[in-house]
Amino acid sequence: MADGNSETKSSNQMWGGRFASGPDAIMEEINASIGFDKKLYAQDIRGSIAHATMLSHQGIISAEDKDKIVHGLNTILSEIESGQFEFSRRLEDIHMNIEARLATLIGPAAGRLHTARSRNDQVALDFRLWVKEELQRTEKALTGLIAAFLDRAEEHAETVMPGFTHLQTAQPVTFGHHCMAYVEMFGRDRSRVRHAIEHMDESPIGAAALAGTGFPIDRHMTASALGFAGPTRNSIDTVSDRDFALEFLSIAAIAATHLSRLAEEIVIWSTPQFGFIRLSDAFSTGSSIMPQKKNPDAAELVRAKTGRINGSLIALLTVMKGLPLAYSKDMQEDKEQVFDAAESLELAVAAMTGMVRDMTIRADRMKAAAGSGYSTATDLADWLVREAGLPFRDAHHVTGRAVALAEQKACDLADLTLEDLQSIHPQITAKVFDVLTVEASVASRTSFGGTAPNEVRKQIAWWRARN
Ligand code: ARG
């Protein structure tokens, strides 16, 4: 695509005299945003059509000029979508590229489009529309990821695995329960997305440069034409505000952090040492030198994308932190951060959804690991409290001695004999063996939100009704 180098300087200086000799190459380079803000073409055209329609409805421009403008803008839309449009860097950004082309297509009527608006409210509108649409895409993607986890959770409501704290075996849980922890996390991300959509659901157009305008515009009309709940209420804030972008980035950073923790678990679970899962060939690669290897590359890259996304959040917070009201050109640096984070997040969620759906769960390996590391020690302590009436602290102490004995005999708690256990505490009876297996341990944790299969199934049903 041509970058407009062939155009004459003067014909493209839309602001006229002051830069009559043309910006030099460095100024053009630092000033232009067309390289990335061309992504906003559809929002820009939609916003301009709504604005022109309102101007004509209010009698500010003629119906004839409005028709020409709308027709011209639709022509430009198809030119861009079919790849025929020539973007020019001399024309700085998407707004001026489109306006200049409109002038070529329809003549002087094009000049009336910019009545009662400025690029400041125009870019605030375009970008807000884009971010809102991206949030809607994110909501859908998260719903797909949640659905994948719900299916795996249902399938594995009874599959026992070790639960960890400090990455040390703690207590047996079910794989279904572990999956549902991620459903909670991604569910919170999705509700943050929904709140953000509500937060930003106000139309900036008509704030003009910063002070509003003396033309009798109808901002409620443009707001509803563009699908917003209403117009923003303070014109200064409107052109200064990038909270919607920051909210998107902070939501993305938290979601990416969740994805990264999941990625890390997948990396750990797929090692031969753990062997809890096997990744499909679709989401792993072989080694060029070690034929036995299968590397969890997709999970590792999801984990790494989090760095980019967190970086984008910090970058934009830093751009915004010292800016006086209202618009400053610094704010042009908002878009690349958001575009990059959006692309990374979309890809990471898609890759994760695929991995979760595809991975083979090795229930035998999970079960074997669940029983090791004295994972039912808490169940023994709870049994002593319940059946022998011991205070929990004493029960904890007795259990510690049982673990020490098992360690000494190099066996599991369930493999100690009744005599062994009674030598530690005389009130222990054969009934204790009912709680020392991992299945019994898991089935006993019936508290709300606990790991018992029936409890997990209740939570799955709750989420299914909301997904
Ligand atoms: N390209 C600019 C941006 O992305 C558009 C707004 C320009 N406004 C201005 N007063 N120079 O922020």
Side-chain angles (χ1 to χ4, degrees):
M1 200 141 294
D3 68 356
N5 280 342
S6 58
E7 295 168 64
T8 62
K9 283 172 183 169
S10 56
S11 69
N12 295 309
Q13 301 310 316
M14 297 188 67
W15 55 78
R18 199 145 82 90
F19 291 108
S21 60
D24 64 19
I26 294 171
M27 180 56 185
E28 186 178 297
E29 179 84 38
I30 196 170
N31 206 33
S33 54
I34 189 62
F36 49 86
D37 68 14
K38 57 169 87 147
K39 224 183 169 83
L40 299 175
Y41 73 88
Q43 291 76 12
D44 195 73
I45 289 172
R46 206 149 28 104
S48 289
I49 290 175
H51 183 67
T53 307
M54 179 278 294
L55 290 177
S56 135
H57 183 262
Q58 297 296 103
I60 301 167
I61 64 172
S62 70
E64 205 190 341
D65 283 346
K66 184 262 288 179
D67 289 342
K68 281 191 198 154
I69 290 170
V70 171
H71 186 259
L73 288 169
N74 282 324
T75 305
I76 294 170
L77 182 65
S78 43
E79 286 177 353
I80 296 176
E81 284 182 341
S82 62
Q84 292 162 18
F85 192 92
E86 296 210 352
F87 291 100
S88 154
R89 202 172 66 169
R90 295 255 174 89
L91 290 168
E92 209 180 310
D93 59 22
I94 186 65
H95 323 293
M96 297 210 288
N97 268 268
I98 290 176
E99 197 179 324
R101 177 70 185 140
L102 188 63
T104 311
L105 286 173
I106 69 167
R112 300 200 184 273
L113 170 61
H114 214 54
T115 313
R117 79 171 183 189
S118 136
R119 268 192 300 159
N120 297 350
D121 55 340
Q122 190 179 354
V123 72
L125 169 67
D126 296 0
F127 197 29
R128 206 184 268 239
L129 284 171
W130 193 92
V131 171
K132 194 175 150 187
E133 286 160 27
E134 181 61 28
L135 282 167
Q136 284 157 350
R137 283 190 285 274
T138 308
E139 185 182 358
K140 267 213 197 89
L142 288 172
T143 297
L145 178 55
I146 290 169
F149 267 119
L150 287 173
D151 289 348
R152 296 322 300 258
E154 193 137 39
E155 198 184 316
H156 291 283
E158 315 239 357
T159 304
V160 286
M161 69 179 282
F164 300 92
T165 63
H166 312 266
L167 197 54
Q168 306 287 325
T169 301
Q171 293 173 351
V173 295
T174 65
F175 184 65
H177 194 210
H178 200 98
C179 287
M180 291 305 289
Y182 282 103
V183 167
E184 294 290 333
M185 291 151 79
F186 295 119
R188 284 194 296 275
D189 292 327
R190 190 177 56 180
S191 80
R192 273 185 278 276
V193 165
R194 289 175 179 159
H195 283 142
I197 292 173
E198 271 174 46
H199 262 159
M200 71 179 58
D201 204 17
E202 294 174 339
S203 170
I205 195 72
L210 81 164
T213 174
F215 290 100
I217 59 172
D218 183 349
R219 294 193 57 212
H220 292 273
M221 180 177 170
T222 39
S224 79
L226 292 166
F228 288 105
T232 53
R233 280 171 308 281
N234 181 300
S235 59
I236 299 174
D237 175 53
T238 300
V239 292
S240 315
D241 172 36
R242 290 295 181 271
D243 288 5
F244 59 93
L246 289 170
E247 278 192 41
F248 170 74
L249 289 172
S250 40
I251 290 166
I254 297 174
T257 300
H258 293 156
L259 289 166
S260 182
R261 295 180 74 172
L262 172 58
E264 174 67 7
E265 297 209 307
I266 287 176
V267 168
I268 293 172
W269 291 344
S270 62
T271 58
Q273 289 76 8
F274 267 76
F276 286 4
I277 59 168
R278 206 175 292 112
L279 289 171
S280 74
D281 288 347
F283 292 102
S284 47
T285 61
S287 157
S288 52
I289 180 167
M290 296 162 285
Q292 84 285 10
K293 289 197 74 185
K294 194 163 186 181
N295 296 326
D297 296 44
E300 293 170 302
L301 288 163
V302 166
R303 190 172 58 182
K305 295 281 183 205
T306 312
R308 289 173 77 130
I309 296 173
N310 289 355
S312 293
L313 171 62
I314 300 302
L316 186 56
L317 283 169
T318 310
V319 165
M320 296 305 294
K321 71 170 272 295
L323 295 188
L325 308 187
Y327 178 87
S328 296
K329 194 64 174 261
D330 308 53
M331 290 159 75
Q332 179 166 288
E333 293 279 318
D334 54 3
K335 291 166 207 68
E336 284 166 294
Q337 302 302 338
V338 168
F339 293 157
D340 188 79
E343 197 177 305
S344 301
L345 185 65
E346 272 182 53
L347 193 53
V349 174
M352 253 327 164
T353 308
M355 273 185 272
V356 169
R357 286 214 175 274
D358 264 26
M359 64 190 182
T360 305
I361 307 308
R362 302 179 68 189
D364 53 330
R365 299 278 312 209
M366 287 189 177
K367 189 182 164 179
S372 72
Y374 308 109
S375 65
T376 55
T378 317
D379 298 275
L380 173 56
D382 287 348
W383 187 90
L384 287 163
V385 171
R386 228 175 27 242
E387 306 294 325
L390 268 60
F392 184 78
R393 282 294 163 216
D394 296 350
H396 185 277
H397 181 73
V398 170
T399 304
R401 286 174 48 213
V403 168
L405 182 61
E407 250 167 1
Q408 199 189 313
K409 300 184 87 175
C411 68
D412 285 335
L413 280 177
D415 299 330
L416 290 173
T417 63
L418 184 58
E419 293 70 46
D420 287 337
L421 289 165
Q422 284 175 338
S423 75
I424 294 164
H425 201 280
Q427 274 173 276
I428 297 180
T429 69
K431 270 169 59 190
V432 77
F433 291 106
D434 291 350
V435 303
L436 294 184
T437 68
V438 287
E439 285 82 4
S441 166
V442 155
S444 74
R445 304 209 182 273
T446 53
S447 55
F448 185 84
T451 205
N454 280 339
E455 196 50 41
V456 171
R457 287 197 184 95
K458 278 185 217 160
Q459 302 305 335
I460 295 172
W462 189 91
W463 275 103
R464 287 240 188 255
R466 286 160 184 80
N467 200 50

